[in-house]
Amino acid sequence: MIRIEDLHVEIGDREVLRDINLHIGEGETHVLMGPNGSGKTTLIRTIMGFADYHVTEGAIVYRGRDITNLPIHERARYGIGLMFQRPPTIAGLKLGKMLVATSGNRPEEVAEYAAAMNMAEFLERDINAGFSGGEIKRSEVLQLMIQQPDFVMLDEPESGVDLENISLIGSAIAKLLEKDRHIVSRHKSGLIITHTGYILDYIEADAGHMMCDGEIRCHGNAREMLQLIKAKGYRECIECKKI
Amino acid sequence: MQKDIEELESLSVEDRKRLAISGLELDSLNRCGSFFQIDQEIVHMSCEYEGIEVLTLEGALAKHEWLEQYYWKLVQKDKDEYTRFVADQKHPKGYVVIAKKGSKNILPLQTCLFLAHESIQHVHNIIIAEEGAELHLITGCASSASTEHGAHYGVTEFYVGKNARISTTMIHTWGENIEVYPRSAAKIEENGTFLSNYVAMSPVKNVQMYPVAELVGEHAVARFNSVVVAMPGSCLDLGSRTILSANNTSAELISRAITRGGTVIARAHILGEVEDTRGHIECKGLILEDGIIHAVPEIEGWVTGTELSHEAAVGKIAHEEIEYLMSRGLDEDEATATIIRGFLDVKIEGLPEMLQKQIDAAIDAAESGF
Ligand SMILES: Nc1ncnc2c1ncn2[C@@H]1O[C@H](COP(=O)(O)OP(=O)(O)OP(=O)(O)O)[C@@H](O)[C@H]1O
Ligand SMILES: [Mg+2]
């Protein structure tokens, strides 16, 4: 589905990512871990194509096509979707209006999905204005449900979400990733950033990657890696340099 | 108003479209009455609704002697050259609307002032809502697509009685070389509400206005909303002033201004003269192309117990906002247009839904043209 090759990324004139290699196959979900400030968000925002993130070396290949220099909306139209860690507020723009604008020809789905995500009352509110942490996550998942991306990137989907909402969000994401389908008929892929791994109670991960200081230092089984981090902290995991 | 479509047939298709954008509905289903003046000629006047009397100014002055107490009482004749011009007319034009005591209508009365040929169109309007009456007006002002030069001087005096409510929604569709000088004022009695909405989305040479609302009765409320776009060559000097001169009165002055190369001066002034008064000003400006947005919010309090505030912001669209929408599949232009439409979206409390839709439609029509 997506292949990242020897990627180097600068923000301003500072190199934030170095020599990133990652391959996610069709139907697979991978987990990205790593300490605060290690570069996880930077990686997925670079994949989405935001202007502040300059690729100085390497390539992002999506479904066989080099998308390294494509504008954001073309990546989105090819099927890449992103759940933001901290989305901006847009004064005056109602969530419902935005959903209709991005839904293509399916405005009727907006009400249905909004109800499913418990967001019906938010459709008339300005996007993200005064939304609580959990409400932002629900709104992000709702936007992805409308968008139906093939490759879904989720930036800390469970952080700041209470138990009841984790189950709501977790199940919705599982559905986005076609986890209800057998692997052979599953075509959606995912990359999930998580610190706690709670989301893995709802979504089975196929692999994990550890990022540290702008590099991916370790690949392995996501649950085992998380357990190790929980038990021994990041240091041990980083120092082992299994890669 | 079916018959009048024929009367209006002399207007070009394009001019009729301009009138429609300004809020004129040719079938009167959604209107309780109409007044239509082309240049200095009153071509149509009707009102189906019993509780509302619509008259020409000259007719009204002849019919109701008491109207003298309302004529040139809020706007001063010698305020400036424009009011003097209107005051000097032998045959003053314009309309008088009287909503009788206790009458309520949600359907708006439409008034339309169309500039076709004359160099200066002048009107003097008096709007009265008697005790407990509710009156909604939609005023479409437009000039013919073929009118090259011209000016519109309009004096309007609003009287909102005790427990009464007036909403006035003005949608302007002028031309590039037209100059517009409305001169209006409102007086609001106890527990009365005055809502004034202004939409101007098309090019115009000059609009200058600064209506004043005086809240003289307790619990009176005034709200002004304006949504304007300044195209290159346009200068919109707009504002409003509210004087809180009775206890428990409140005012809200809200403006959204966009420049695409023109100039907007967004003025606002709230004066809290007595205790237990509240006022808020919100001026937001978006500079899409180099032009000028000059926000001048003024709050002035004279006593303890008046609470006045303002917020003003002028800037461009943040690129994070554009990128956010692009990540959902909109291209840059679509994302920008969606954000602009949101910026211009002002929901007006207390306005009948139909009028809100009319405002939304006027903004949509203009925005889809960009
Ligand atoms: N726009 C920016 N300007 C300057 N520095 C930035 C910018 N975005 C990210 N950085 C820096 O890049 C580094 C990586 O940040 P990133 O947000 O990718 O970390 P993260 O792994 O997602 O951390 P967290 O777990 O806290 O979310 C940090 O040092 C951060 O300060
Ligand atoms: Mg992050």
Side-chain angles (χ1 to χ4, degrees):
Chain A
M1 179 72 88
I2 191 160
R3 183 184 295 281
I4 292 167
E5 297 165 354
D6 305 324
L7 193 73
H8 290 247
V9 175
E10 283 182 4
I11 302 174
D13 46 17
R14 180 178 151 213
E15 185 164 72
V16 179
L17 297 182
R18 269 181 307 279
D19 216 16
I20 304 288
N21 284 281
L22 192 67
H23 173 244
I24 302 173
E26 191 162 303
E28 291 178 9
T29 297
H30 290 208
V31 171
L32 187 59
M33 293 156 275
N36 293 138
S38 56
K40 305 179 296 296
T41 297
T42 302
L43 176 59
I44 63 172
R45 289 176 68 89
T46 304
I47 295 172
M48 196 73 242
F50 293 120
D52 290 349
Y53 303 78
H54 303 288
V55 175
T56 52
E57 272 179 63
I60 304 166
V61 180
Y62 176 73
R63 287 188 153 152
R65 188 196 308 256
D66 186 337
I67 61 162
T68 319
N69 297 308
L70 281 189
I72 302 167
H73 70 280
E74 286 186 24
R75 301 179 200 216
R77 289 175 187 177
Y78 284 141
I80 300 180
L82 168 60
M83 175 180 182
F84 285 63
Q85 185 176 15
R86 270 189 298 271
T89 297
I90 305 182
L93 181 56
K94 306 285 174 274
L95 176 62
K97 283 249 168 79
M98 182 223 214
L99 293 171
V100 169
T102 56
S103 71
N105 290 322
R106 301 167 289 127
E108 65 285 352
E109 286 181 3
V110 170
E112 183 191 327
Y113 287 141
M117 287 315 291
N118 247 332
M119 291 299 285
E121 288 138 53
F122 289 76
L123 295 177
E124 283 303 309
R125 281 184 47 183
D126 291 5
I127 294 170
N128 300 323
F131 286 21
S132 74
E135 288 161 358
I136 284 185
K137 304 290 178 192
R138 271 167 27 224
S139 145
E140 288 292 300
V141 172
L142 171 58
Q143 291 173 44
L144 291 176
M145 288 163 87
I146 301 287
Q147 198 184 344
Q148 289 291 327
D150 296 327
F151 175 54
V152 191
M153 300 185 288
L154 304 154
D155 200 344
E156 300 190 21
E158 79 276 67
S159 77
V161 179
D162 67 32
L163 291 175
E164 206 169 305
N165 279 303
I166 283 199
S167 121
L168 179 66
I169 287 171
S171 319
I173 294 172
K175 202 146 182 226
L176 277 176
L177 290 168
E178 296 180 335
K179 289 297 187 186
D180 47 344
R181 293 198 188 184
H182 189 271
I183 180 76
V184 286
S185 60
R186 188 189 301 145
H187 302 291
K188 308 252 174 173
S189 307
L191 179 60
I192 305 178
I193 297 176
T194 179
H195 287 293
T196 62
Y198 294 149
I199 196 75
L200 300 184
D201 292 345
Y202 302 90
I203 298 150
E204 203 53 53
D206 301 287
H209 311 275
M210 164 70 71
M211 185 171 275
C212 183
D213 250 344
E215 295 175 29
I216 291 184
R217 294 276 177 85
C218 182
H219 303 282
N221 175 292
R223 277 180 188 277
E224 283 175 11
M225 290 169 77
L226 274 161
Q227 257 153 26
L228 195 67
I229 294 165
K230 268 180 201 158
K232 312 214 163 160
Y234 283 112
R235 180 162 296 276
E236 187 122 342
C237 191
I238 290 158
E239 278 172 358
C240 99
K241 290 205 179 176
K242 197 163 128 197
I243 192 167
Chain B
M1 224 178 124
Q2 206 58 34
K3 196 173 120 270
D4 296 286
I5 296 175
E6 284 148 41
E7 284 177 32
L8 297 179
E9 213 113 89
S10 59
L11 299 176
S12 70
V13 174
E14 172 157 17
D15 284 350
R16 273 180 276 161
K17 209 171 109 197
R18 292 167 74 85
L19 287 171
I21 290 172
S22 304
L24 181 78
E25 294 226 339
L26 292 178
D27 65 60
S28 55
L29 283 181
N30 292 323
R31 300 288 184 258
C32 79
S34 302
F35 175 94
F36 190 16
Q37 176 173 334
I38 298 181
D39 296 330
Q40 290 316 122
E41 193 192 346
I42 294 159
V43 297
H44 174 83
M45 191 172 70
S46 68
C47 185
E48 312 287 316
Y49 193 77
E50 257 180 35
I52 297 175
E53 191 174 15
V54 183
L55 301 161
T56 61
L57 178 70
E58 276 191 305
L61 287 168
K63 183 174 174 189
H64 299 301
E65 225 170 87
W66 54 264
L67 202 63
E68 283 297 333
Q69 298 160 34
Y70 295 82
Y71 187 49
W72 290 113
K73 289 297 181 285
L74 296 181
V75 176
Q76 305 311 312
K77 277 185 189 175
D78 58 358
K79 179 182 159 62
D80 56 32
E81 59 180 294
Y82 309 108
T83 53
R84 276 194 293 273
F85 182 92
V86 175
D88 286 347
Q89 297 302 317
K90 253 212 189 85
H91 295 288
K93 300 295 173 179
Y95 50 84
V96 172
V97 179
I98 303 161
K100 301 279 168 58
K101 185 172 173 179
S103 72
K104 282 199 194 304
N105 82 309
I106 297 293
L107 288 183
L109 177 81
Q110 65 181 0
T111 63
C112 182
L113 304 168
F114 190 72
L115 189 56
H117 311 289
E118 296 263 325
S119 59
I120 296 176
Q121 179 183 52
H122 57 90
V123 294
H124 186 152
N125 310 315
I126 298 173
I127 321 290
I128 300 169
E130 294 178 358
E131 186 175 338
E134 176 168 352
L135 175 68
H136 300 279
L137 294 168
I138 179 161
T139 304
C141 295
S143 55
S144 165
S146 59
T147 309
E148 299 244 312
H149 294 272
H152 170 92
Y153 301 171
V155 172
T156 307
E157 298 176 285
F158 293 95
Y159 294 87
V160 184
K162 192 174 165 185
N163 297 322
R165 167 184 289 261
I166 292 180
S167 89
T168 170
T169 297
M170 187 153 73
I171 302 176
H172 276 178
T173 311
W174 302 109
E176 275 170 25
N177 290 308
I178 311 286
E179 299 187 59
V180 185
Y181 301 98
R183 294 290 178 261
S184 32
K187 186 165 146 189
I188 303 119
E189 311 275 349
E190 186 182 335
N191 214 22
T193 300
F194 181 63
L195 301 180
S196 171
N197 308 308
Y198 179 62
V199 178
M201 306 290 291
S202 49
V204 59
K205 186 172 172 196
N206 238 322
V207 180
Q208 195 266 317
M209 63 179 175
Y210 195 62
V212 179
E214 217 181 325
L215 280 59
V216 297
E218 287 200 18
H219 296 282
V221 175
R223 272 190 234 116
F224 287 87
N225 292 280
S226 65
V227 176
V228 302
V229 175
M231 304 303 280
S234 293
C235 178
L236 305 169
D237 182 345
L238 310 170
S240 47
R241 178 156 196 251
T242 300
I243 301 164
L244 307 172
S245 49
N247 296 121
N248 293 304
T249 52
S250 64
E252 199 175 59
L253 316 182
I254 293 176
S255 72
R256 296 280 182 277
I258 286 182
T259 176
R260 290 184 176 270
T263 297
V264 180
I265 304 173
R267 302 179 193 275
H269 181 204
I270 301 180
L271 169 59
E273 286 185 345
V274 299
E275 290 186 7
D276 297 321
T277 48
R278 276 169 295 119
H280 183 67
I281 296 172
E282 185 183 296
C283 296
K284 288 192 181 164
L286 208 50
I287 301 179
L288 296 180
E289 274 151 69
D290 286 357
I292 296 172
I293 294 183
H294 182 170
V296 194
E298 294 178 70
I299 46 183
E300 181 179 347
W302 285 1
V303 289
T304 58
T306 181
E307 274 179 58
L308 308 174
S309 58
H310 77 76
E311 56 178 305
V314 173
K316 61 169 181 166
I317 302 175
H319 84 135
E320 293 80 28
E321 296 177 17
I322 294 174
E323 290 191 326
Y324 188 41
L325 296 189
M326 288 178 78
S327 77
R328 303 290 184 231
L330 302 185
D331 68 28
E332 189 169 350
D333 289 346
E334 291 165 343
T336 305
T338 304
I339 293 166
I340 292 171
R341 187 62 190 82
F343 174 83
L344 295 174
D345 208 12
V346 180
K347 289 280 165 276
I348 298 156
E349 201 188 317
L351 192 68
E353 179 152 335
M354 184 199 307
L355 283 167
Q356 179 76 54
K357 281 191 181 149
Q358 197 90 51
I359 290 174
D360 293 349
I363 297 170
D364 281 339
E367 278 300 303
S368 61
F370 290 141

